[in-house]
Amino acid sequence: MSAHGRTEPAPPRWGYGTNGLTDLRLSDALALLGDLGYDGVGLTLDHMHLDPLAPDLAARTRHAARVLARHRLTATVETGGRYVLDPRRKHGPSLLDPDPDARAARTRLLIRAVRVAVDLGAHAVHCFSGSAPDDTDPDSDPDRDLAWKRLADALTPVMEAAEAAGVPLAVEPEPGHLLATLADFHRLRRDLGGPDVLGLTLDIGHCQCLEPLPPADCVRAAAPWLRHVQIEDMRRGVHEHLPFGEGEIDFPPVLDALAATGYGGLTVVELPRHSHTGPQLAARSLDFLRTAAQAAVPQGGTP
């Protein structure tokens, strides 16, 4: 805050998601991002990068922390590995699974992610709700209420662990999931009593895809709860993560709005289906974002 109580514009801190670099070893991916000039990384816990279920997680996490420090990178821990818990069900089991033991498995994974975040010095742990399961009718109010109750109950131990660890939990509205929009995020906060530890992952592409407000307005509306930001291009009504310039988003107003919030965390490029050209896209993406951020600066202003 300034001396007059206004939020000071925050310089951007760019990151790149390891889910877009799955063809690289984690150490090579981090070296690449450091060499390119990124500030950090969205580190997805998965079998190819810091497997959360393999032996010796604590030792492997300490090694990853040393590599991050060597390349002057910070991290957000992301938990969107597609098959990390179930090799046959994408993102399964979720926090909404009808089987309480299955829901508990996802809860344990998220609590483990909190411990990893502490050991990495990460600034947040990202998660999402998952899709409403087959035993719920999306048009039935009682069924939807049951799904929301399952979500709140399954997240409560995760929030307790995150609060004890001092690491914010950043829930992402995800198209096609129970918690799909900013309005859904606020419903979850109300259901849980508005805990301080529960923050928001805002995906700029998702705003373009399905929010009623333009992405820059979404940033302003979400500002008090921002704990993590993901960014990519996207088209209206189509949930497809695209390289910059291939979608419909006008980025300078978005980056101007983001800077104006005072958000100091990472803004992470999220291109999980482009790993085959990850190193090249990582370089192009950073150039694009730096240019767009310069274009976002009002004449006579500061970045």
Side-chain angles (χ1 to χ4, degrees):
M1 300 287 285
S2 72
H4 301 287
R6 294 189 297 269
T7 301
E8 292 293 337
R13 299 176 63 225
W14 307 122
Y16 201 91
T18 60
N19 60 2
L21 296 169
T22 56
D23 291 272
L24 277 66
R25 299 177 185 87
L26 179 58
S27 57
D28 292 336
L30 297 180
L32 168 74
L33 299 181
D35 288 346
L36 289 173
Y38 278 92
D39 302 289
V41 60
L43 204 168
T44 296
L45 303 184
D46 209 343
H47 62 87
M48 73 292 287
H49 290 153
L50 202 54
D51 187 341
L53 303 183
D56 301 320
L57 177 60
R60 290 183 288 111
T61 302
R62 288 193 296 272
H63 174 72
R66 291 192 294 271
V67 178
L68 285 166
R70 183 185 313 144
H71 298 292
R72 299 182 179 180
L73 297 169
T74 58
T76 298
V77 171
E78 301 199 4
T79 60
R82 294 184 182 95
Y83 297 98
V84 67
L85 286 177
D86 187 329
R88 301 188 180 204
R89 284 193 299 160
K90 182 181 177 182
H91 298 316
S94 77
L95 296 167
L96 309 173
D97 200 286
D99 180 353
D101 290 337
R103 292 198 300 275
R106 178 63 62 172
T107 295
R108 287 193 299 272
L109 176 66
L110 295 180
I111 291 173
R112 186 169 294 190
V114 169
R115 294 199 295 268
V116 169
V118 171
D119 291 344
L120 292 179
H123 72 85
V125 171
H126 149 278
C127 67
F128 44 58
S129 69
S131 303
D134 293 340
D135 73 331
T136 59
D137 179 351
D139 298 321
S140 163
D141 288 340
D143 278 4
R144 284 185 62 81
D145 288 344
L146 172 61
W148 281 104
K149 184 178 186 307
R150 285 174 177 169
L151 177 59
D153 289 348
L155 268 183
T156 294
V158 184
M159 291 191 305
E160 291 170 351
E163 187 168 27
V167 178
L169 193 64
V171 177
E172 179 187 6
E174 179 78 19
H177 285 202
L178 177 71
L179 197 159
T181 65
L182 287 172
D184 293 333
F185 168 74
H186 289 299
R187 169 171 179 164
L188 177 64
R189 281 188 57 81
R190 288 193 300 271
D191 288 352
L192 291 167
D196 290 340
V197 73
L198 184 66
L200 173 70
T201 293
L202 186 69
D203 187 300
I204 301 303
H206 294 174
C207 297
Q208 176 70 22
C209 178
L210 53 68
E211 292 287 349
L213 295 174
D217 289 342
C218 289
V219 170
R220 286 184 278 268
W225 301 278
L226 281 183
R227 301 296 180 268
H228 183 43
V229 175
Q230 297 172 343
I231 194 165
E232 69 285 314
D233 217 338
M234 205 168 284
R235 301 185 185 99
R236 184 70 180 169
V238 182
H239 183 204
E240 181 183 5
H241 291 235
L242 298 172
F244 298 117
E246 296 185 14
E248 300 170 343
I249 299 175
D250 182 13
F251 283 96
V254 174
L255 299 180
D256 182 48
L258 190 59
T261 69
Y263 169 71
L266 292 173
T267 298
V268 172
V269 179
E270 185 80 356
L271 292 172
R273 300 190 180 211
H274 292 77
S275 184
H276 61 287
T277 186
Q280 294 77 27
L281 271 179
R284 284 166 41 198
S285 297
L286 187 56
D287 288 343
F288 179 96
L289 289 169
R290 285 173 168 167
T291 300
Q294 286 297 318
V297 178
Q299 190 169 4
T302 55

